[in-house]
Amino acid sequence: MTWRSSAGQALVKSCGKRFTAFDHLIKRRRALMSLRDDAMKVRENAYAPYSNFKVGAAVRATDGAVHQGCNVENIAYPEGTCAEAGAIAAMCAAGGSREIAEVYVIADSPTPVPPCGGCRQKLAEFAPRDTPVTLATVDGAELKTTVGDLLPGMFDASHMERT
Ligand code: THU
C-alpha cells in the first residue's frame, strides 16, 4: 500500500511537472499569437503614403503590458518614424516597465521584415540581448531571432567606461 501510494505520488508529481512545462509552452504560444494580433492590427493605422509600406510593431514589457507602434512618414522623408520607434515611445509614455520582454514586427513583405539599423539600436536600449524578436509577414511567415543577434558588436555603456 505504502509502495503504491508513494509510486502514485511520484507519478502525479512527474506528470504535474510535465503538465506545468506544457502549460508554460501553451501560454507562451498564446502570448506570442496575441502579440502578433496586436502588431497586425496596429499596422493598419500606419501612415505610409510615400512608401506604401505599412509596418506594425508590438512590444511586451516585463510587466506584461503590450505597447504598439506603426510607421508614420513625412513629406520631409527623414522625419518619418518606424513602427518599432512608435512602440518604444508608447511603452515609455505608458509609465510602466521600460524593459522589453518580447518583440513582434510585421509587414506585407516577401520575407519577414528586418528592422532597420536605427531600430535595432533603439530596441537594444530597452531589451536584454537574449530578448526574443519575431519578424513576420502578413502571409504568416515568421523568423525568430534576438535583439543581440540583430545587432552584433553593438555600441553599449561598456564602451563609455572611461568617461
Ligand atoms: N519601416 C519600419 O517602420 N520598420 C522597419 O522595421 C522597416 C522599415 C518603415 C519606415 C518607412 O516608413 C517604411 O517602412 C519604408 O522604409
Side-chain angles (χ1 to χ4, degrees):
M1 250 351 229
T2 319
W3 175 82
R4 270 202 198 162
S5 72
S6 69
Q9 274 172 11
L11 185 66
V12 167
K13 208 171 165 191
S14 121
C15 285
K17 265 191 195 154
R18 269 180 217 174
F19 179 74
T20 310
F22 190 58
D23 194 42
H24 176 74
L25 278 179
I26 290 178
K27 279 194 184 134
R28 221 179 116 21
R29 181 72 202 149
R30 233 182 249 150
L32 188 65
M33 295 282 282
S34 86
L35 209 58
R36 176 187 167 82
D37 291 344
D38 290 327
M40 188 87 155
K41 193 143 198 353
V42 73
R43 180 183 163 270
E44 289 165 20
N45 301 335
Y47 175 73
Y50 307 108
S51 70
N52 276 321
F53 187 67
K54 292 183 165 196
V55 186
V59 301
R60 188 161 45 76
T62 50
D63 61 1
V66 172
H67 309 282
Q68 305 158 9
C70 55
N71 52 333
V72 179
E73 299 184 346
N74 194 284
I75 183 65
Y77 295 174
E79 296 307 321
T81 50
C82 287
E84 297 88 330
I88 289 169
M91 176 182 74
C92 289
S97 166
R98 290 193 292 208
E99 186 176 328
I100 298 175
E102 190 149 20
V103 183
Y104 201 104
V105 189
I106 194 162
D108 187 7
S109 44
T111 54
V113 61
C116 75
C119 283
R120 293 173 193 222
Q121 187 80 44
K122 288 185 179 82
L123 289 169
E125 182 74 17
F126 296 97
R129 288 174 194 227
D130 61 352
T131 304
V133 180
T134 304
L135 310 175
T137 73
V138 295
D139 303 332
E142 283 186 347
L143 183 84
K144 289 180 193 299
T145 180
T146 63
V147 167
D149 283 351
L150 282 172
L151 196 60
M154 70 176 72
F155 175 71
D156 62 23
S158 69
H159 299 103
M160 293 174 66
E161 259 167 24
R162 292 185 183 173
T163 58

